[in-house]
Structures are given as C-alpha cells and as structure tokens.
Amino acid sequence: MQILNTVKWAAVAALMAGPILAQDQVWPDRDSDTLLSQSDLQDRLTGRTLVFFDGGTSAYKRDGTYQWTYAGGGDWHGMWRTMEGSVVCVDFITEVTRCDRIVESSDRLVVLTADGQRFPVKTTE
C-alpha cells in the first residue's frame, strides 16, 4: 500500500512539474530563426489554422481552444496560450501540457519541439 501511495504522489508531482519545466526547455534554434514577440505570436495564431506538409493541422481558435488533427485523422483538444520567447503552450484535456517554440525562418513559420524536431508550416488558413 505504501508503494502505491508513493507512486501516486510521484505521478501527481510529475504532472504538476510539467508546465514549470516547459518554461525552461531549450529548443533547437538555427541562426536563420527569428523569434516573435508574445503579442506578434498571439496575432499570428489567433483564429488561424497552421497546415503542415504531412496534412496535419493545428487550429488556434479565437476562444482559446486548440485542436490538433493528425494527417490520418484523430484529434487532440485543449486550451492554448502564448508566452515570451516565441512560445505557445497547450493544456490538453488529458491534463498534459505541451510547449513549443514557433519561429519565422525563410518567410515561413516553423514549429520547434523540445525533442529537437522542426515542423515547417505549409500554409496558414
């Protein structure tokens, strides 16, 4: 029973630490990447859908809701917010928070993930 309680509290602590740790992430920037101010990022995302080359989409709705649609179907829903440092965070309904950096590079928005991936945006609708 003691082990089970310890595991539960460790899981809760990890979930609570997620958003705090997200603020200290380091993204794989390149020299050609231009960071956006928090207000510019807010303006670039609000009410728009980013379409990626694989067909997936990220919809940043005006009411603060977010919807990620996989290229092959399937959705993830949450609430989005911008932060300093060209960062956008999504609090998913699954109680997981994810933060990415969105930069401009060669006249294109690019989503940088903390695990080193770069996802150029094909179009913005």
Side-chain angles (χ1 to χ4, degrees), residues 74-86:
D75 297 321
W76 280 73
H77 299 271
M79 299 295 292
W80 70 279
R81 66 190 186 292
T82 58
M83 299 173 62
E84 289 297 324
S86 206

Side-chain angles (χ1 to χ4, degrees), residues 20-31:
I20 295 166
L21 293 175
Q23 296 172 9
D24 296 326
Q25 292 180 15
V26 177
W27 287 271
D29 291 338
R30 294 183 182 168
D31 290 339

Side-chain angles (χ1 to χ4, degrees), residues 28-102:
D29 291 338
R30 294 183 182 168
D31 290 339
S32 61
D33 293 343
T34 301
L35 300 181
L36 303 169
S37 70
Q38 185 173 358
S39 63
D40 286 344
L41 183 59
Q42 183 85 25
D43 290 344
R44 297 281 298 265
L45 297 179
T46 301
R48 295 192 172 86
T49 299
L50 306 183
V51 179
F52 297 92
F53 283 91
D54 67 356
T57 62
S58 287
Y60 298 91
K61 299 178 183 177
R62 290 190 181 283
D63 65 358
T65 60
Y66 172 86
Q67 180 178 342
W68 163 256
T69 302
Y70 290 96
D75 297 321
W76 280 73
H77 299 271
M79 299 295 292
W80 70 279
R81 66 190 186 292
T82 58
M83 299 173 62
E84 289 297 324
S86 206
V87 174
V88 61
C89 294
V90 177
D91 300 312
F92 289 99
I93 60 173
T94 59
E95 298 183 6
V96 171
T97 296
R98 176 189 173 113
C99 295
D100 295 315
R101 176 172 277 168
I102 297 180

